[in-house]
Amino acid sequence: MDKGLHFTVCVVTTVLLLRESSQAGEEKDPEVLAAPKPDSRRAGEGLPTLTVTTILEDPYVMVRGAELEGYCMELLGALAGMLRFQYRVKVVADGQYGAVAAGGNWTGMIGEILRKEADIAVAPLTVTSAREEVVSFTTPFLQTGIGILLRKDTASQDMSFFHFLSPFSKETWTALLFAYLLTCFCLFLVARLSPCEWNEPKNEENHFTFLNSLWFGAGALALQGATPRPQALSVRVIAVVWWLFTLALLAAYIANFTALLSSGSEQLPIQTFEDLVKQRNLEFGTLEGSSTFYYFKNSKNPIHQMIYEYMEKRREHVLVKTYQEAVQRVMDSNYAFIGESISQDLAAARHCNLIRAPEVIGARGFGIATAQASPWTKPLSIAVLKLREAGDLDYLRNKWWESSCLRQSRDRWGPLEPPALGGLFLTLGIGLALGVLAALAELSSSSRRTAAHAKKSCCSVFTEEICTRLRIKGTARQSQEPSGKANA
């Protein structure tokens, strides 16, 4: 009996202990459920998942290890964070952007959206009317056009005979000539007005004649000393300002001329698409099945029609499959690639021997493609606009288009225009004005002393001094004639 009672007590005690532990566990369960990880996981499971198709093209989408990265990947991540959706990225199977095949079916990313193999396409996909008829596009996230990518040595021409004039524009050379003549005239004028250059104008010869002033200014341009040496403060002020002007001018000329020679930025013979058609040294083509090809096919412009006929006749030889193949072909052969200007700018920034021709035609944009009547089209467009207004799209553009080439661009090292040297010319003008004022002050001081000694009006003496110094040759001849007659 005692044993049965003891057993019963043990069982009851065990049951009570198990119940207490169970209750303690139930009290801890709410804390576990409130932990952030289970909550975030449940929230992620509730988000919609989109299948995104894209194409490998630097710098939009690139493979780095086992992941994809690039401009479009960061754009997709920003859109997913704003619109709260998950995504699964797949690279387009046929490596095409999207065009109508021979059977009437669409290839590339457009075809995958039509076949519902993907929900959206985030890639450098050009918005065209033909594509807009079968899919919907969001607001463009990048603006571009059609340009010509060339290799420098195939696009350059021989330097002109007067290539040494290229660092400055025609307007700058004209302004420089005017500044030189004005400075020399001021030297001549101030040297004649200043009493420190000659004390007795009737009996002395002024060394700063106009020809000597021209020689003095030319010597400063060549960084060489030239006689006569200025003695008056006013003349020295003008000389010092002119020396500083020529020193800065020569530094700008040498730097710009060196950059022009090293960067090969001479005038390109192929500036426009018309120039491309007229030449016979370079082959040219574009991506097969791209919007650029169909742009020339549908264009009514005669030049564009000639380009299309050329590419159509030599389709197997001049059309390329991928953008990387096009860039490599431009670098390795006499080939000009016609394609998206924004992608060509990237190629020219990363390969120093490539350059894009100035003309850009067919302005268009890259947009995100969705199925027609898709509920994601408008939200994606609004999100793209918000990213643009916030400056995020500009940030991504600067990040992924950062140049790794140390060359200087043609626009930067072009001929220097007068506004670029405006401060230099202004300093010269101020210096000339100060020199003239100093000469007048010196002459005025000398005139006051002469007027006080001769007891004459200061204004009359000042006027006589100016007339005498500016007409010294005529006065000297008149003063020499009576002495000659007296000697006779």
Side-chain angles (χ1 to χ4, degrees), residues 288-480:
E288 184 178 4
S290 64
S291 60
T292 302
F293 179 81
Y294 288 99
Y295 172 86
F296 289 100
K297 179 179 180 180
N298 300 326
S299 176
K300 303 300 180 182
N301 189 306
I303 300 298
H304 299 171
Q305 281 295 312
M306 293 174 64
I307 294 176
Y308 167 72
E309 292 174 1
Y310 174 89
M311 294 189 297
E312 181 65 26
K313 291 179 181 178
R314 299 165 177 81
R315 171 184 288 268
E316 299 297 330
H317 188 60
V318 300
L319 297 184
V320 293
K321 302 293 184 181
T322 63
Y323 175 76
Q324 290 76 11
E325 178 186 351
V327 174
Q328 192 64 39
R329 185 168 178 180
V330 173
M331 297 176 62
D332 297 340
S333 62
N334 292 336
Y335 181 77
F337 173 61
I338 302 175
E340 302 292 346
S341 60
I342 191 171
S343 300
Q344 293 176 350
D345 290 338
L346 177 68
R350 295 188 176 181
H351 303 282
C352 301
N353 60 336
L354 300 182
I355 190 171
R356 180 176 62 81
E359 185 181 32
V360 176
I361 61 174
R364 52 246 185 104
F366 291 154
I368 300 174
T370 64
Q372 288 187 338
S374 171
W376 291 100
T377 306
K378 187 173 181 179
L380 287 171
S381 293
I382 296 175
V384 169
L385 290 175
K386 289 182 178 180
L387 291 175
R388 179 180 299 169
E389 293 169 355
D392 294 338
L393 295 183
D394 293 334
Y395 167 76
L396 291 179
R397 167 69 187 272
N398 295 332
K399 175 182 177 179
W400 291 101
W401 267 258
E402 183 180 2
S403 175
S404 60
C405 181
L406 299 180
R407 70 174 180 85
Q408 304 297 337
S409 65
R410 179 175 183 269
D411 293 335
R412 181 177 178 181
W413 293 110
L416 287 180
E417 300 292 340
L421 303 174
L424 198 59
F425 282 96
L426 178 61
T427 304
L428 177 63
I430 294 175
L432 296 181
L434 290 177
V436 174
L437 292 177
L440 293 176
E442 293 172 351
L443 184 59
S444 176
S445 178
S446 176
S447 300
R448 282 197 301 268
R449 290 193 299 268
T450 303
H453 181 73
K455 296 182 180 181
K456 293 183 178 180
S457 172
C458 182
C459 294
S460 62
V461 173
F462 183 76
T463 304
E464 290 176 2
E465 286 289 337
I466 290 181
C467 295
T468 303
R469 293 173 186 278
L470 295 181
R471 296 180 298 184
I472 185 63
K473 291 186 177 181
T475 306
R477 290 176 182 174
Q478 293 177 2
S479 63
Q480 291 176 358

Side-chain angles (χ1 to χ4, degrees), residues 58-108:
D58 186 12
Y60 303 98
V61 180
M62 300 171 290
V63 178
R64 290 293 183 270
E67 298 180 353
L68 296 177
E69 68 174 17
Y71 178 93
C72 289
M73 291 297 98
E74 291 200 19
L75 174 62
L76 180 59
L79 294 175
M82 295 177 64
L83 301 179
R84 298 187 57 78
F85 64 84
Q86 293 180 320
Y87 56 89
R88 182 178 62 88
V89 181
K90 61 186 293 289
V91 179
V92 60
D94 58 4
Q96 300 293 322
Y97 290 87
V100 181
N105 297 323
W106 281 82
T107 62

Side-chain angles (χ1 to χ4, degrees), residues 47-367:
L47 296 180
T49 301
L50 300 182
T51 301
V52 181
T53 180
T54 188
I55 191 170
L56 295 179
E57 181 176 333
D58 186 12
Y60 303 98
V61 180
M62 300 171 290
V63 178
R64 290 293 183 270
E67 298 180 353
L68 296 177
E69 68 174 17
Y71 178 93
C72 289
M73 291 297 98
E74 291 200 19
L75 174 62
L76 180 59
L79 294 175
M82 295 177 64
L83 301 179
R84 298 187 57 78
F85 64 84
Q86 293 180 320
Y87 56 89
R88 182 178 62 88
V89 181
K90 61 186 293 289
V91 179
V92 60
D94 58 4
Q96 300 293 322
Y97 290 87
V100 181
N105 297 323
W106 281 82
T107 62
M109 293 177 284
I110 302 297
E112 290 189 352
I113 292 178
L114 294 177
R115 294 189 298 269
K116 297 183 179 181
E117 298 174 4
D119 298 307
I120 61 175
V122 182
L125 190 60
T126 306
V127 180
T128 63
S129 59
R131 292 171 178 171
E132 190 74 51
E133 291 180 354
V134 294
V135 297
S136 297
F137 280 96
T138 65
T139 301
F141 57 85
L142 270 181
Q143 298 294 332
T144 183
I146 300 177
I148 307 172
L149 185 65
L150 308 160
R151 197 173 75 247
K152 280 187 175 180
D153 55 356
T154 59
S156 61
Q157 62 180 7
D158 296 334
M159 294 184 182
S160 63
F161 190 72
F162 295 98
H163 187 67
F164 66 93
L165 299 176
S166 300
F168 292 159
S169 64
K170 295 179 181 178
E171 294 78 7
T172 304
W173 285 114
T174 304
L176 175 59
L177 178 61
F178 177 77
Y180 167 70
L181 294 177
L182 179 62
T183 303
C184 294
F185 176 76
C186 288
L187 282 172
F188 166 74
L189 178 64
V190 170
R192 285 186 170 272
L193 293 178
S194 176
C196 298
E197 290 295 334
W198 52 358
N199 294 324
E200 299 180 5
K202 296 182 179 180
N203 301 326
E204 295 181 11
E205 184 68 23
N206 191 288
H207 297 291
F208 269 97
T209 63
F210 189 69
L211 291 179
N212 287 344
S213 299
L214 291 175
W215 179 248
F216 182 87
L221 279 173
L223 298 181
Q224 300 294 325
T227 56
R229 306 292 183 182
Q231 298 178 359
L233 175 63
S234 55
V235 182
R236 289 179 178 179
V237 168
I238 294 180
V240 168
V241 172
W242 178 245
W243 289 339
L244 294 177
F245 175 82
T246 55
L247 185 63
L249 191 73
L250 288 175
Y253 176 86
I254 294 173
N256 208 43
F257 189 55
T258 303
L260 285 171
L261 293 177
S262 61
S263 64
S265 58
E266 50 271 3
Q267 184 76 6
L268 292 175
I270 300 178
Q271 298 277 335
T272 64
F273 285 88
E274 184 176 358
D275 298 334
L276 184 65
V277 172
K278 291 180 179 179
Q279 59 82 36
R280 293 294 180 267
N281 298 326
L282 297 177
E283 296 179 325
F284 53 88
T286 186
L287 290 174
E288 184 178 4
S290 64
S291 60
T292 302
F293 179 81
Y294 288 99
Y295 172 86
F296 289 100
K297 179 179 180 180
N298 300 326
S299 176
K300 303 300 180 182
N301 189 306
I303 300 298
H304 299 171
Q305 281 295 312
M306 293 174 64
I307 294 176
Y308 167 72
E309 292 174 1
Y310 174 89
M311 294 189 297
E312 181 65 26
K313 291 179 181 178
R314 299 165 177 81
R315 171 184 288 268
E316 299 297 330
H317 188 60
V318 300
L319 297 184
V320 293
K321 302 293 184 181
T322 63
Y323 175 76
Q324 290 76 11
E325 178 186 351
V327 174
Q328 192 64 39
R329 185 168 178 180
V330 173
M331 297 176 62
D332 297 340
S333 62
N334 292 336
Y335 181 77
F337 173 61
I338 302 175
E340 302 292 346
S341 60
I342 191 171
S343 300
Q344 293 176 350
D345 290 338
L346 177 68
R350 295 188 176 181
H351 303 282
C352 301
N353 60 336
L354 300 182
I355 190 171
R356 180 176 62 81
E359 185 181 32
V360 176
I361 61 174
R364 52 246 185 104
F366 291 154

